[in-house]
Every structure is written in structure tokens, then in C-alpha cells.
Amino acid sequence: MTDRAGAVSGAATGLAPSTGFTPAYRNYALFVLMVAYTANYVDRQILAILLEPIKHDLGLNDTQLGFLSGITFAIFYATLGVPIAMWADRSNRRNIVALALTIFSSMTVVCGFVTNFAQLALARIGVGIGEAGSSPPSHSMISDMFPPEKRASAMGIYSLGINIGILIGFLVGGWVSQWYGWRAAFFIVGAPGLLIALLVRFTLKEPQRGHADGTTAQAAGDAPKVMEVFRLLWSQRSFRHISFGCALAAFGGYAGVTWIPAFLIRSFQMSPGEIGTWLALIIGFVGGAGTYLTSWLADRYGKRDVRWNMWVVAIVMAVCFPFAVAMYLSFDKYWALFFFLVPAFAGAAYIGPSLAMTQGLVVLRMRAVASAVLFLILNLIGMGLGPQAVGLVSDLYAPSFGGESLRYALLTVMVVWPWAAVHFLLGAKTLKEDIERARMHGLK
């Protein structure tokens, strides 16, 4: 497998050449992909604000809620991401994103019709299957539209879909569930994704692979097998630390964003609408600022030394920890929300720089699979185990702490933040050498 410059022309591959992408179109394509990712996160996170009403309506415990929020979704989302990414490295990525949007949006609507735990679990599996096909092809398209020195910022803008999605999910989910019930919330947030799928399919172009790097990839049939991608990635010491750092950061982030609404209801008797408004504003605006600013700083200082991509993330993770502890030790809701500002800022800050570096640690036709491998590790540990761990610990703490068991369960899992920072620092140590190894691998 090679990725030598000039191997295939844009005309020969039937793809748009790099000269066909104006700055305006490139920004439009990034915006549309970010909107698609927003729909992805709205449908993924809507469950968090609905946990309490679903718990009482369907008669569930915290362990079951953790299962619905974490493992049920994460196993299928993470594991199917790899074969779908292999497909994306060989086929039309735009069409895959459009199909994924159609599937997960439809299954979100189905969630509103369920009547028991098993049905909701199956519907959430459907959402996970659909969302598995969204991110890796999008990451690959963005990497082929933006040059390396702008890639972290582009990934950061794309990753704003996390914060905007959570904003919409909490705001709409909180008030709609309070006014019309939790089932209506699923209907309202699921339907728009079907329209976005049409926007992706009929207004975006499939970019030529590698044009932003000044090179082109070979024909689709020459895309590497998944084990070749695994071997290259796992041989990169920096990737091993970056992936575990992401997994630990996601563990704390998903645990928090999934259970904070229930924590505020149980510990401070806040209403769903009030919680939805506060969390939408904090995670949407403060979290969005953190997601973009961290990526912007990574690009700015990474021009001098690529290791700054990971150093910036490590600093953000370390600063977050004491504020997370203060939040869960607070017995006043306004102080708890105030302390939450910093964890919200850090919640998705690691994603843009980590994705950008992962794309640089492989060759062109490995990019979608490389993203899927990163997300496989991140989501199985972070999304799968984070919410589940909180639910289990909360049930274990219930005999001792009663109604405050969730508070101390969340406090317990926050130790992952400084642990994540250590892995990002270790990942920076060999980043330069590993990027050069990937470049030489592509010239073999």
C-alpha cells in the first residue's frame, strides 16, 4: 500500500480535485458536517435529560439507566464504527454520512413509542448503529479539505456539534418533557435529522483523498486492511497514550453529562425545564468555547512545536479536576452550577487536537479507520463504562447515602481527569517521531 504524490489524478478517480474547493465551499461543507454531528449528539444525549421521567414511568433503577445511557449504545456505536470506516476508506463518504443520519434519526423517533426496558434498549441500539456511520467518514472528509496546519481548528469547529447538540438536547428535552412528556421529546429531536440527511446527500461533494496534503491516494481497491491500520496505529507510542487519554476524559465527560440532570433533580429538586435551560447555556456556550478555543490554541502553538497539540489538552484536563470535585461537594445549586463552568469548558476540549494528531499518525487511506479505532477505544471505555459505572456505584452507595448516593458516585469517578492529563503528556513525548514514521510508511 502506497500513497505517493501523483499516483492518481482527480479526473481519474472521478472526485473533485483540490482546486475545485473554494474557501467558501470548504467552510460550507464543514458547517453542514458540523450540523450533521449536532443532530448526532442531540439524538445521543437527549436520553440524559429524560432519565428521571423514564425511570419513574418504566420503573427502572440506576443500573438499568446506566446501561441504557452507556453500554447499550456504546458497544454497537464503537464496534460498528470500524467496518463502516473501512467502507468509507473505499467508497463515497458523503453517501455513508447521509445514510447514517437517516438511520439514527429514525430510531430516535422509535424511542418515543417504547413501553418497557427491552424495547428502549433495542431502540437505543438502533440509534448507536446509525451514529456509527457518521463521524469517521466526516473526519476523513475534513482531513481531505483542510491542510495540516488548519486541521485541528477544523476538527474543533466540527466538534462544536457536541456542545450545540447537548444545548439543543437539554433545552428542548427539558421543556418538552416538562410540558408534553418524555415521548414527545424523542419525536421532536429525531425528525430534523432526516432533512439534514438530504442536505448532506445533495449539496456536498466527495473530496479527493489527500488533496489537502498535496498528494493523492491510490484507487479504492488498494485501501489497507483494518489490521494494517491497527498495527501502524498501535506501533505509534503517542497514539496509545492519546487514545487512553481520550478514553479517560470521555469516561468522566460522559459520566457527568449523562447523570448531572438526575443529580440536580435529586439533590436540589430542580425541574427538568430549569435544568435543561442551565445546562444548555453552560454546556452549549461555555463548552463550545472550550472545544473551539483548545483546538485553536493547539493549531497556533502546534505550528512551533506539534507537541503543543497534546500539552494544551493536558493543561485543560488538569485544571478541570478541582472544579469537578467542588461541584459535587457543593450543597447549593448555584455554586454547583458555577463550579460546573470549568468541567463544561473541558468536556470536549480534547477531541479536536486528538483527532487531528490521529489523522497525522497514519497514511491517507487509513484516516477513516484511524478515527474509528480512536472512537472504538474512546467510546467503549468512556461512553460505555462511564455512565454505567456511575449507575452501579450509585446503587451501591444508596444504603449509606440514600438520596445523595448519585452525588458521591459522580464524585468518585472524577479521578479520571488528572489521569487523562498524564496520558496526554506522555503522548506528546514521541509525537514528532511518530508523525515522521507515518510519513515514511506512506512512501514505502
Side-chain angles (χ1 to χ4, degrees):
M1 199 287 296
T2 64
D3 281 313
R4 290 188 179 90
V8 178
S9 69
T13 59
L15 302 175
S18 59
T19 54
F21 290 125
T22 64
Y25 169 78
R26 191 172 64 181
N27 292 335
Y28 168 76
L30 178 61
F31 173 76
V32 171
L33 290 173
M34 185 267 287
V35 171
Y37 197 37
T38 297
N40 181 310
Y41 247 83
V42 172
D43 291 5
R44 183 186 313 183
Q45 288 299 133
I46 187 67
L47 186 65
I49 193 68
L50 305 177
L51 286 180
E52 284 298 291
I54 289 174
K55 176 180 182 176
H56 295 297
D57 192 10
L58 301 184
L60 309 182
N61 58 37
D62 284 351
T63 300
Q64 288 174 307
L65 293 177
F67 183 77
L68 288 170
S69 305
I71 293 175
T72 298
F73 182 93
I75 287 178
F76 291 89
Y77 175 74
T79 55
L80 289 177
V82 174
I84 292 173
M86 292 174 63
W87 180 24
D89 274 337
R90 293 163 169 78
S91 185
N92 189 299
R93 294 163 288 182
R94 175 204 60 195
N95 293 350
I96 294 171
V97 174
L99 177 62
L101 273 160
T102 302
I103 294 171
F104 73 69
S105 299
S106 300
M107 294 308 298
T108 299
V109 173
V110 171
C111 289
F113 291 103
V114 303
T115 58
N116 57 50
F117 172 77
Q119 290 175 0
L120 184 53
L122 290 173
R124 290 293 292 173
I125 288 171
V127 176
I129 290 171
E131 293 193 6
S134 177
S135 295
S138 297
H139 299 157
S140 180
M141 290 176 69
I142 292 168
S143 293
D144 284 336
M145 291 188 289
F146 289 85
E149 67 273 12
K150 295 182 179 179
R151 199 166 287 155
S153 293
M155 291 293 186
I157 292 172
Y158 173 78
S159 298
L160 286 175
I162 296 173
N163 305 100
I164 299 171
I166 294 173
L167 184 156
I168 295 171
F170 279 152
L171 194 61
V172 174
W175 287 110
V176 170
S177 67
Q178 185 169 320
W179 291 336
Y180 304 108
W182 60 269
R183 297 180 187 279
F186 281 118
F187 300 148
I188 290 173
V189 302
L194 300 173
L195 299 177
I196 300 169
L198 296 175
L199 195 66
V200 170
R201 175 61 183 82
F202 294 108
T203 70
L204 297 190
K205 307 175 199 174
E206 170 73 1
Q208 180 182 339
R209 299 176 197 269
H211 75 257
D213 295 275
T215 186
T216 53
Q218 283 188 329
D222 294 328
K225 292 181 170 61
V226 67
M227 287 311 299
E228 183 181 351
V229 184
F230 269 113
R231 281 194 296 269
L232 177 59
L233 276 174
W234 209 247
S235 72
Q236 305 281 48
R237 184 180 172 189
S238 57
F239 175 77
R240 296 199 298 268
H241 285 296
I242 290 170
S243 62
F244 283 124
C246 287
L248 291 168
F251 188 99
Y254 278 113
V257 79
T258 299
W259 285 103
I260 282 174
F263 160 63
L264 294 173
I265 290 173
R266 297 182 196 181
S267 294
F268 302 110
Q269 293 74 53
M270 295 174 68
S271 69
E274 183 184 11
I275 292 169
T277 301
W278 276 107
L279 295 184
L281 294 173
I282 293 173
I283 298 176
F285 291 102
V286 178
T291 301
Y292 177 74
L293 183 59
T294 304
S295 298
W296 179 81
L297 289 170
D299 266 345
R300 179 176 180 180
Y301 292 104
K303 292 176 184 176
R304 307 176 192 173
D305 188 330
V306 71
R307 293 174 294 181
W308 270 107
N309 282 273
M310 295 296 97
W311 290 340
V312 168
V313 176
I315 292 168
V316 171
M317 295 294 104
V319 171
C320 170
F321 175 63
F323 287 88
V325 171
M327 175 189 178
Y328 295 121
L329 289 179
S330 175
F331 284 88
D332 178 85
K333 67 179 180 181
Y334 294 112
W335 275 110
L337 291 168
F338 172 77
F339 287 127
F340 181 54
L341 291 172
V342 176
F345 182 91
Y350 62 94
I351 292 180
S354 298
L355 279 172
M357 293 304 96
T358 298
Q359 300 283 284
L361 290 169
V362 293
V363 295
L364 298 180
R365 281 201 176 273
M366 293 182 176
R367 282 178 169 169
V369 174
S371 288
V373 171
L374 177 65
F375 272 51
L376 174 68
I377 298 168
L378 182 161
N379 288 313
L380 284 179
I381 296 174
M383 185 195 302
L385 299 182
Q388 183 69 78
V390 172
L392 286 168
V393 174
S394 177
D395 282 341
L396 289 173
Y397 284 176
S400 300
F401 297 106
E404 293 292 345
S405 65
L406 183 57
R407 174 196 298 274
Y408 294 105
L410 285 163
L411 183 62
T412 300
V413 303
M414 287 303 106
V415 296
V416 298
W417 290 103
W419 187 3
V422 171
H423 278 289
F424 286 120
L425 289 173
L426 292 172
K429 291 182 68 175
T430 60
L431 191 57
K432 288 182 177 180
E433 296 87 343
D434 290 345
I435 289 174
E436 179 61 20
R437 285 183 69 228
R439 190 186 73 82
M440 296 305 296
H441 185 89
L443 296 176
K444 289 179 181 178

